Amino acid sequence: MFRGIQYSIYALLLLCVSCAKQQQSSTPDVRCDFSADSAYAYIAQQVAFGARVPGSEEHVACGDWLVKKLATMGAQVQNQYGTMINYAGEWQSLRNIVAYFEGTTQNAILLCAHWDSRPWSDEEEHYDDRFAPVLGANDGASGVGVILEILRQLSILKARGEMVPSVQIVFFDCEDMGTPSHYTGLERPHTWCLGSQYWAQQYIQHSPIKLQYGILLDMVGDPSATFPREYFSMQYANGYLEQLWRSANRLGYGRYFVPSTTYYPITDDHYYVNTIARIPCVDIIDYKTNTETGFAEWWHTQQDDMRNINHQTLQAVGETVLTTICSK
Ligand SMILES: [Zn+2]
């Protein structure tokens, strides 16, 4: 994702308009199982392939593994191949991984994360270090790992005869292909989140499934993660955002799902889900108020590895999301 520009007043005004419209769903009444050990293992398995940079062998191998994994958990899986124009004005191939899990209630909810790794570590201090790819344990693999574990738990609940929602899972490709800091050409708009832009365009034209709302997970494994309310999420999906934050507080995870807001809107996959697919979508994203970038020190560096993945954080995020989507 990319740091947005600061226009807090604009966002606040929009928030006031949108928050009254959103559905206020009930608070959760069940505590769902979620295994942080399992989510951690799914993250480690992705990272073990190496950096998942689009066009690389590692990217193909990890994508194939994700497709198989989703299928073993009872989902119908498809590769969605496409092309978009990248930061340099060239065609960029992409592969979104799309899965549908049929639940037992009328609800159908979107769970999404990006599965690609950034090709450049352009937040590294030294210029020469900026051309190595990011391993993406947090920035990519963490959201995917938590969603895989949520799906595993949903399939267990369904087999037990419990009421579970249908879930559309999308692992977006090419989220992190945005203009690198070393690029000297003309800066283009919308170079981040290419996979979600493509998916959203296809969804609005072709999808027979009506999705009620969406949850995007991005960088959800850091030991000191905090998830302030993000501006685009408040603007487009405030009722669902509040439902998630209430669930988290009831479960005792208020130190992660903090009451503050990000300093600016964040351009992440949910922006295109909200604006192109027109599905209200909340971004749960680790955002810091004490760093220059707004993100953790390892963000877009060589330090984004398994050392920064923490079981307690995964548990907080996974349990909050699972409990919320299973609430009536
Ligand atoms: Zn990133």
Side-chain angles (χ1 to χ4, degrees):
M1 102 303 318
F2 180 62
R3 289 176 268 162
I5 53 166
Q6 184 159 4
Y7 58 108
S8 315
I9 294 170
Y10 162 74
L12 276 172
L13 284 170
L14 288 167
L15 168 64
C16 293
V17 175
S18 64
C19 59
K21 292 186 195 165
Q22 297 276 336
Q23 175 190 340
Q24 292 291 318
S25 303
S26 61
T27 48
D29 52 4
V30 286
R31 189 171 185 118
C32 295
D33 287 331
F34 178 91
S35 166
D37 284 345
S38 175
Y40 186 96
Y42 295 143
I43 298 164
Q45 283 166 300
Q46 293 169 78
V47 170
F49 286 101
R52 284 83 62 214
V53 172
S56 68
E57 283 177 21
E58 294 83 357
H59 182 262
V60 173
C62 183
D64 292 348
W65 178 79
L66 287 171
V67 167
K68 280 194 196 127
K69 203 78 201 164
L70 288 160
T72 61
M73 295 176 185
Q76 298 166 294
V77 196
Q78 282 184 321
N79 288 299
Q80 181 186 58
Y81 293 103
T83 50
M84 293 284 287
I85 297 289
N86 73 6
Y87 68 96
E90 297 158 351
W91 285 107
Q92 170 69 48
S93 297
L94 61 89
R95 175 193 189 181
N96 292 326
I97 297 170
V98 182
Y100 188 73
F101 173 81
E102 181 141 23
T104 52
T105 70
Q106 294 297 312
N107 295 343
I109 297 161
L110 171 68
L111 296 180
C112 48
H114 77 90
W115 72 280
D116 61 306
S117 311
R118 183 153 178 77
W120 316 280
S121 302
D122 46 0
E123 291 293 326
E124 280 288 350
E125 193 177 344
H126 299 292
Y127 186 80
D128 289 349
D129 297 335
R130 295 178 188 168
F131 297 89
V134 175
L135 200 49
N138 254 306
D139 195 357
S142 67
V144 170
V146 168
I147 290 173
L148 285 174
E149 172 58 9
I150 288 172
L151 176 61
R152 193 177 75 90
Q153 293 297 337
L154 288 174
S155 64
I156 292 169
L157 289 169
K158 184 180 170 183
R160 276 195 215 139
E162 306 269 359
M163 299 288 275
V164 290
S166 297
V167 174
Q168 174 88 72
I169 290 171
V170 187
F171 295 149
F172 297 122
D173 199 5
C174 295
E175 187 270 357
D176 246 340
M177 292 287 285
T179 312
S181 61
H182 58 263
Y183 184 65
T184 55
L186 182 73
E187 182 118 8
R188 292 166 180 272
H190 306 293
T191 63
W192 301 80
C193 308
L194 298 181
S196 53
Q197 293 184 58
Y198 185 85
W199 178 82
Q201 288 164 5
Q202 298 298 310
Y203 173 83
I204 206 74
Q205 290 173 35
H206 306 298
S207 180
I209 303 164
K210 174 99 177 81
L211 298 169
Q212 186 186 4
Y213 71 100
I215 301 171
L216 172 67
L217 303 182
D218 196 0
M219 303 195 286
V220 292
D222 187 85
S224 60
T226 49
F227 309 114
R229 292 161 163 85
E230 184 277 329
Y231 272 113
F232 285 137
S233 307
M234 291 192 291
Q235 179 182 340
Y236 293 104
N238 199 53
Y240 299 110
L241 183 151
E242 290 303 328
Q243 190 185 350
L244 279 159
W245 264 244
R246 270 200 308 276
S247 296
N249 276 280
R250 284 181 55 146
L251 292 164
Y253 297 130
R255 80 179 171 94
Y256 300 99
F257 289 78
V258 291
S260 57
T261 58
T262 56
Y263 286 161
Y264 43 76
I266 296 172
T267 303
D268 203 349
D269 290 312
H270 72 311
Y271 176 72
Y272 298 100
V273 173
N274 277 301
T275 58
I276 300 176
R278 301 193 178 281
I279 300 163
C281 186
V282 180
D283 193 7
I284 298 177
I285 183 165
D286 184 9
Y287 179 89
K288 316 285 189 196
T289 53
N290 60 351
T291 65
E292 198 183 322
T293 62
F295 301 116
E297 299 291 352
W298 43 255
W299 178 65
H300 291 182
T301 75
Q302 292 292 289
Q303 278 72 55
D304 184 2
D305 55 30
M306 291 304 292
R307 288 173 297 177
N308 296 309
I309 299 294
N310 176 271
H311 283 73
Q312 281 79 23
T313 310
L314 298 176
Q315 187 69 34
V317 175
E319 208 177 311
T320 295
V321 173
L322 186 58
T323 304
T324 304
I325 66 172
C326 288
S327 65
K328 295 177 188 72

